[in-house]
Amino acid sequence: MARLLTPGPTRVMGIVNVTPDSFSDGGTYAVPSDAVRAGLRMVADGADIVDVGGESTRPGAARVDTAEERRRVVPVIEELVAAGVTVSVDTTRAAVAAAALDAGAVLVNDVSAAADPDLLALCAERDAYYVLMHARGESLDMAKRAHYGDVVADVVAELRERLAAVSAAGVRLDRVILDPGIGFAKKFEHNWSLLAQLDAFAQLGRPLLVGTSRKSFLGALLAAPDGTPRPVEQREDATQATTTLLAAQRVWAVRVHAVRPAVDAVRVVGAWHRARAWPRENA
């Protein structure tokens, strides 16, 4: 992780959901061996990190118990780490994070906005890398909390407050990555405002991880004339358009379901940036 946080091109985090009900790939990797193969394919396609999750956080999703979440993710993490993969765990629970770190994960991706003091204490004790994402409430009710005055200013302020809580819990700030929480307690227009003004987060002084992959705001943007949202499996081109825009803004990392096109997009942006820096011929 220290290497991945050094200046460089936008990193690509591949998503492996070991769940039956995630909005995009739920049930696809329910068998651990399938999840491991998927993670290895992502690395072969250029992923820098594989993010393994055992509980769906789609809007309205019900929670699973801790033991089941741990049962889903630990075997997958163990095998991926044994194969040399850099792994993060997508969890909000201290017990699951502890098992994942024991299995070799190096990053805890917490979508709860640091709601659990025990999770923060664990990350401080283990000196773990930690993703602090903006959110309001849990999956079942977060849509009801999507009310802002100025969404960009509000999200920055709320992340600043939670970042202070993370630091007070003993987590080293140089281990913290921020995520604006696209789709989490956000309406259509909120997501676009945040994406258009990511430079506002620079004042917080930490790298940004952004996840837009196949999310509902893209489905709404691409809706049919009758208003029917574009199906999840048909949102990939739009996802990679956002990946290109995010890489052009030099965000630290993007979190995606399809790794190869994201890696390609990052490489294209890199070539474009390099070309802009070249001296003009015959100048």
Side-chain angles (χ1 to χ4, degrees), residues 153-165:
D154 290 351
V155 170
V156 169
E158 289 172 26
L159 273 177
R160 188 191 305 278
E161 184 271 329
R162 298 315 298 152
L163 186 61

Side-chain angles (χ1 to χ4, degrees), residues 186-200:
K186 314 289 190 307
K187 296 178 182 178
F188 178 87
E189 62 275 13
H190 298 147
N191 293 311
W192 289 113
S193 293
L194 289 166
L195 291 174
Q197 299 179 64
L198 287 177
D199 55 339

Side-chain angles (χ1 to χ4, degrees), residues 76-138:
V76 177
I77 294 171
E78 287 176 338
E79 290 202 40
L80 289 174
V81 169
V85 177
T86 301
V87 177
S88 63
V89 60
D90 179 358
T91 188
T92 63
R93 290 174 164 137
V96 176
L101 293 171
D102 289 343
V106 296
L107 173 66
V108 176
N109 184 11
D110 177 13
V111 302
S112 76
D116 183 1
D118 290 339
L119 179 57
L120 297 181
L122 171 75
C123 290
E125 178 186 347
R126 300 289 190 92
D127 205 20
Y129 289 88
Y130 176 78
V131 175
L132 168 63
M133 194 189 81
H134 178 270
R136 289 178 172 178
E138 296 185 357

